[in-house]
Amino acid sequence: RDLLRLTPDDVASWNMLGRTLAETGDLAGAIAAFDNVGAIGERSGDKTLATSALLNKGMAYRTHGEFDSALVVLHQARMLLDESSPDPIFVLCLTQFGVVHHLRGDLREARDCYLNAIRSAQSFSEPPFGAMLALANLEYEHGRLEKARDLYRILRPIASSKSRRAMLAGNLAGVYAALGKPRRAEALTHYALRIDRAHGNGPGAARHLQGLANLRYEAKDFVEAERLLKEASDICHRNGDRVTLSVIYGTLAEVLLAQAVYDTRDFERALAVAKEAASLAEAQDSVSRTARYRITIGRTLIMMGKPQEAAPLLAASAQTFSELQIPHMESLAREMLEACERLRSELLKLGL
């Protein structure tokens, strides 16, 4: 702000201010800062500045879960770009389109955007890091773990900045955890967390804390998992990162459910957190995350002896994952649905 008082048309300062405000929860302030960059671009006839301002606005909206607004400004940015001679900004625009579709659960649309971005960058000196990382994340979400791991490994030589290395390490840790290699996963996550903590506990730190909590959950260290998730949720609240917050609540619901024994209040707490996770995801139009958290709600209701409430949620989740072609999640939903039906049958035999 002090720099901008001296040089009000300093684009770098406006962009830095916008990113800082976006990461500290002030979405309106961030958008205003990026709008100033766009105005400078329009006055000077610099189309690149105007486009980059729109892309930064799109990323700010995305971080705060405003996916419709993100798609609007990304479309405006694409209209300013020359598709016949793609440059790095064009590739970034396609990648950001893909990320927003991915978060909303439009996985086919997301894949098309990522592949188009990669094809558009064929003449570049190195592969497009963002698009390939996002494609690897998509493969991981579909359960294609080896393919995701191979893509992450390809990206290692071009992870030139600390933030890229942290992002890559955190994502690769998730693959190793799913492949049954928790020590490797934990080492990578701690490495990523150290980098992001050094940069002020931004959104990346919250995601890595959630990754560590997953590992503690798998090790049945539920108290430590809950502590890590509390720290991660505090970061998200400060930063206004509602997307990561919904993921953290989804994990927290699983942790609370694992600790619930016979006290109804334990189950009610897990149920409330799972519903909050689903509510946040639904408000962001994230179909896949909403379906995932509804499975957790269904599991909790089954354990509370309420199969009649669980059944429709589990059936809807199974249908969603079938349409999204995510077989391992569809299988989980159907297993829970079968458990639900068995419980209903047992309760009927008992006259309940």
Side-chain angles (χ1 to χ4, degrees):
R1 291 188 191 277
D2 288 343
L3 283 168
L4 288 167
R5 290 188 190 99
L6 298 171
T7 52
D9 281 355
D10 182 24
V11 169
S13 293
W14 279 118
N15 278 327
M16 182 63 73
L17 178 61
R19 285 193 292 271
T20 304
L21 292 172
E23 289 192 5
T24 52
D26 186 355
L27 177 60
I31 297 303
F34 295 135
D35 280 340
N36 276 310
V37 176
I40 294 167
E42 288 178 10
R43 287 199 302 271
S44 62
D46 189 334
K47 191 182 287 187
T48 301
L49 271 187
T51 307
S52 67
L54 289 167
L55 290 176
N56 281 329
K57 284 172 66 175
M59 287 186 271
Y61 280 128
R62 185 201 75 205
T63 298
H64 288 257
E66 303 275 349
F67 296 143
D68 288 340
S69 297
L71 288 174
V72 168
V73 295
L74 288 172
H75 180 72
Q76 291 170 353
R78 189 167 181 174
M79 296 295 289
L80 296 174
L81 294 166
D82 183 3
E83 299 194 22
S84 63
S85 56
D87 60 7
I89 294 181
F90 178 75
V91 171
L92 176 61
C93 185
L94 285 178
T95 304
Q96 290 304 315
F97 263 116
V99 172
V100 176
H101 285 304
H102 191 164
L103 289 169
R104 292 184 65 166
D106 302 330
L107 302 186
R108 293 189 192 91
E109 190 71 31
R111 178 182 292 277
D112 287 344
C113 289
Y114 298 151
L115 291 174
N116 284 339
I118 292 167
R119 280 192 290 266
S120 297
Q122 284 179 345
S123 62
F124 294 1
S125 59
E126 63 179 35
F129 182 88
M132 290 187 66
L133 181 71
L135 181 62
N137 295 343
L138 189 63
E139 297 294 353
Y140 169 75
E141 190 168 328
H142 275 87
R144 295 189 279 266
L145 302 178
E146 287 81 5
K147 195 165 185 179
R149 181 194 59 199
D150 292 344
L151 282 167
Y152 290 138
R153 285 174 172 172
I154 289 169
L155 290 171
R156 274 179 173 170
I158 59 170
S160 51
S161 67
K162 284 187 176 180
S163 61
R164 281 187 173 188
R165 288 197 290 273
M167 199 181 306
L168 189 56
N171 290 351
L172 189 54
V175 173
Y176 279 121
L179 289 171
K181 298 180 179 179
R183 289 185 180 177
R184 180 64 174 149
E186 189 158 353
L188 284 166
T189 310
H190 276 297
Y191 167 77
L193 182 60
R194 281 196 301 273
I195 292 174
D196 279 324
R197 280 204 190 283
H199 287 80
N201 273 348
R207 288 191 291 271
H208 303 320
L209 286 165
Q210 190 262 340
L212 285 175
N214 272 331
L215 291 167
R216 293 295 88 216
Y217 168 77
E218 293 296 335
K220 302 192 185 314
D221 185 355
F222 303 126
V223 173
E224 177 63 6
E226 188 173 347
R227 186 195 69 77
L228 290 164
L229 291 167
K230 173 67 167 60
E231 185 180 352
S233 67
D234 288 345
I235 293 172
C236 289
H237 282 298
R238 285 199 302 271
N239 297 342
D241 184 355
R242 294 163 60 211
V243 176
T244 305
L245 185 62
S246 73
V247 177
I248 288 165
Y249 281 163
T251 305
L252 179 58
E254 294 285 353
V255 170
L256 294 173
L257 187 57
Q259 295 179 84
V261 187
Y262 300 110
D263 192 329
T264 304
R265 289 171 296 182
D266 292 339
F267 292 110
E268 287 175 347
R269 188 179 171 211
L271 183 62
V273 174
K275 285 182 175 179
E276 181 63 20
S279 177
L280 280 168
E282 190 171 18
Q284 297 155 15
D285 293 327
S286 179
V287 178
S288 58
R289 279 186 291 120
T290 302
R292 184 184 297 267
Y293 305 144
R294 283 178 176 167
I295 292 177
T296 304
I297 295 171
R299 284 184 59 226
T300 309
L301 289 168
I302 289 171
M303 294 177 74
M304 293 174 75
K306 299 179 178 180
Q308 70 280 3
E309 294 181 36
L313 293 170
L314 295 167
S317 291
Q319 181 63 30
T320 296
F321 286 121
S322 173
E323 292 169 359
L324 294 174
Q325 297 180 2
I326 305 180
H328 67 290
M329 291 305 300
E330 180 189 356
S331 176
L332 176 62
R334 295 202 184 282
E335 284 175 18
M336 290 294 103
L337 192 56
E338 288 172 8
C340 187
E341 293 303 320
R342 287 195 298 270
L343 178 58
R344 288 176 76 172
S345 177
E346 292 298 323
L347 289 173
L348 284 172
K349 288 177 184 177
L350 294 170
L352 298 173

